Amino acid sequence: MPSNEPTFAELLADCARSAVHLEMRDAYAVGDEAQDFSTWLSTGQRDTDPASEYWTPWVDLISDTVARGVVVRRARIVSEPVSDYIRYEHAATGVNVQAGEQVRWLSRSHASDLALPGNDFWLFDDHVIRWHHFAGDGTWVRQEISADPTNAKLCAESFEAVWARAVPHDQYEIH
């Protein structure tokens, strides 16, 4: 990441109203999840302790952000039947919710007629986008920060369209 680009924590710190995240991949190969994912695959056990070393940084960041009055929402578009990775994500999403995130799930079959951007993103206060670029195998490539108004509008409209159709986490059943 170029040194002049803000970190995720800095973007959240500058956020005053809303931070929304749209995830559209069925698998991610993020390095800091590798051991946890491997353990989950072999044992079915997932770290769901918000006070664990794994979760504390995220829980603290989101809790502090929500405490300032920022609404944090995450929507996931998933293929069904879901991949092992989505099962893994679902198994611990309760921690995201406990931290203060609102999370919804949308079957990809219900998103066919939605105009969606080509990459996952975070959108802060409807104008700053943090694009997530991944390789074909799901490994993280880079982030890209943009304040392009046309792209921000696309992201905001796409997210709201997904959110309106998506199922709240506590009601979503894995298929």
Side-chain angles (χ1 to χ4, degrees):
M1 174 174 65
S3 61
N4 62 341
E5 282 192 355
T7 66
F8 180 73
E10 290 169 337
L11 290 165
L12 271 183
D14 289 343
C15 194
R17 296 180 319 279
S18 69
V20 300
H21 185 35
L22 183 60
E23 298 178 3
M24 299 179 283
R25 296 183 58 89
D26 286 320
Y28 296 87
V30 181
D32 64 351
E33 293 177 337
Q35 182 57 48
D36 195 50
F37 184 52
S38 178
T39 299
W40 179 84
L41 282 172
S42 63
T43 67
Q45 299 300 308
R46 176 87 202 262
D47 179 0
T48 58
D49 178 2
S52 71
E53 182 179 339
Y54 178 84
W55 280 107
T56 295
W58 183 257
V59 169
D60 289 350
L61 181 62
I62 297 303
S63 297
D64 292 348
T65 301
V66 171
R68 291 188 296 107
V70 176
V71 176
V72 180
R73 296 183 293 161
R74 177 188 304 255
R76 293 177 171 143
I77 299 174
V78 297
S79 299
E80 293 176 333
V82 299
S83 67
D84 284 342
Y85 185 85
I86 295 301
R87 288 180 189 283
Y88 163 79
E89 275 194 327
H90 190 270
T93 297
V95 178
N96 298 79
V97 173
Q98 286 178 310
E101 286 187 61
Q102 299 172 41
V103 181
R104 292 188 181 181
W105 302 81
L106 181 64
S107 170
R108 192 171 310 282
S109 65
H110 294 124
S112 297
D113 61 340
L114 298 179
L116 300 169
N119 293 293
D120 291 8
F121 63 86
W122 276 92
L123 179 64
F124 304 93
D125 289 336
D126 293 324
H127 72 275
V128 176
I129 308 161
R130 180 184 189 230
W131 297 109
H132 291 190
H133 297 283
F134 294 92
D137 66 358
T139 56
W140 174 262
V141 175
R142 66 183 172 89
Q143 74 173 13
E144 176 185 357
I145 306 298
S146 172
D148 178 271
T150 302
N151 289 334
K153 183 177 186 235
L154 169 66
C155 290
E157 290 174 352
S158 296
F159 184 87
E160 293 305 329
V162 169
W163 191 257
R165 292 184 186 183
V167 176
H169 174 69
D170 63 349
Q171 298 172 26
Y172 181 71
E173 295 181 26
I174 289 288
H175 298 277

